[in-house]
Amino acid sequence: MTQAPIRLSVNGGIHDVTAERQTPLLYVLRNDLGLNGPKYGCGLGECGTCTVLIDGTAARSCVIPISGCAGRDIVTLEGIGTSDKPDVVQQAFIDEQAAQCGYCLNGMIMTTKALLAINPEPTEQEALAALRYNLCRCGTHVEILRAVMRASGQPAEARD
């Protein structure tokens, strides 16, 4: 039985992917499209390392089948900036040194992008609420919060 390709819009490009309809989006992004921003963490949608934007909303790509992504706009970390011209959120994370091991960064940055799209000037409490399901095991929570506030153009009250 031949599978019909599923057409995905990723980072502004169109990709016809042949895979089982239940294949998690994360696998297609990493294995077929070579996009390594989203990471495999828990595989259960709980840690946030696989976060992408789907139609502007932060979504866990490890639990979303590609069949549910056809006709939707998918953006990965690679689609928001480059090393020469980072996105404002990426630059804020760099400026605040908001990484230690860096494994959670994809989820933190993509969730921050989604937050700032709907709430350009969040309070620290709103930022914390938006990031509450993104796990960071290294303890850079203060720097991450500062980066979110910097990206929104607001001073951060968080202190070391």
Side-chain angles (χ1 to χ4, degrees), residues 70-150:
R72 301 180 74 189
D73 183 39
I74 302 162
V75 178
T76 69
L77 187 65
E78 294 88 350
I80 65 169
T82 66
S83 57
D84 294 334
K85 190 170 177 10
D87 177 80
V88 65
V89 174
Q90 292 169 315
Q91 189 62 56
F93 274 73
I94 293 166
D95 293 345
E96 292 295 339
Q97 298 180 15
Q100 202 166 50
C101 83
Y103 207 75
C104 73
L105 272 186
N106 175 76
M108 296 293 187
I109 290 170
M110 299 308 286
T111 301
T112 299
K113 285 291 293 178
L115 168 65
L116 296 180
I118 60 170
N119 185 357
E121 294 185 358
T123 65
E124 285 191 8
Q125 290 304 313
E126 290 168 330
L128 288 170
L131 295 172
R132 73 186 174 277
Y133 297 116
N134 290 73
L135 303 180
C136 172
R137 293 186 172 105
C138 295
T140 59
H141 296 89
V142 171
E143 292 84 355
I144 290 168
L145 180 57
R146 277 200 229 132
V148 174
M149 300 313 290
R150 179 185 286 255

Side-chain angles (χ1 to χ4, degrees), residues 33-77:
L33 303 183
L35 299 169
N36 295 316
K39 306 282 186 262
Y40 181 89
C42 65
L44 302 170
E46 295 180 4
C47 72
T49 62
C50 68
T51 303
V52 297
L53 302 179
I54 299 180
D55 295 335
T57 300
R60 306 300 168 94
S61 64
C62 72
V63 293
I64 297 174
I66 60 169
S67 60
C69 297
R72 301 180 74 189
D73 183 39
I74 302 162
V75 178
T76 69
L77 187 65

